[in-house]
Amino acid sequence: MTEHERWIRSAVAYIERHLTDDVDFDDVARHTAVTRFHLHRMFQREIGYSAASYLRERRLALAAADLLKTNKRILLASKRKCPQAS
């Protein structure tokens, strides 16, 4: 495994652990100890889209799954699963 792959795996793991926390791309970059620019470039190359997009899409998927399982209103589910939506 290359160093870039380790960074990306670490970034994805961090994102998955903090989906419902108020974290953003800068937090992910700090966690991996890589510059924001470099992580963005490597994430884009390896995953196909930006870490910020990945974080947003995972949060939305989590909120959608929550809506399917409960009778919550959309706004409540999005605030709980996507802290930055509020």
Side-chain angles (χ1 to χ4, degrees):
M1 179 183 315
T2 69
E3 189 173 11
H4 292 147
E5 289 169 333
R6 280 194 297 276
W7 292 338
I8 300 307
R9 284 183 183 218
S10 178
V12 169
Y14 182 83
I15 289 169
E16 293 298 324
R17 281 192 313 271
H18 296 279
L19 282 176
T20 59
D21 298 338
D22 190 13
V23 297
D24 59 19
F25 183 66
D26 290 326
D27 297 317
V28 177
R30 273 190 296 280
H31 169 75
T32 58
V34 178
T35 67
R36 186 177 202 276
F37 173 76
H38 192 61
L39 181 61
H40 173 77
R41 201 165 44 106
M42 291 298 104
F43 203 97
Q44 184 87 29
R45 187 175 82 185
E46 295 291 325
I47 304 295
Y49 41 92
S50 72
S53 293
Y54 180 82
L55 178 60
R56 182 177 52 252
E57 292 298 320
R58 288 294 297 126
R59 284 177 170 164
L60 288 171
L62 195 60
D66 198 31
L67 284 171
L68 290 173
K69 292 187 281 185
T70 66
N71 290 328
K72 290 181 185 168
R73 295 177 59 204
I74 291 173
L75 188 57
L76 263 178
S78 67
K79 283 184 177 182
R80 184 169 152 249
K81 301 296 182 185
C82 306
Q84 295 172 334
S86 41

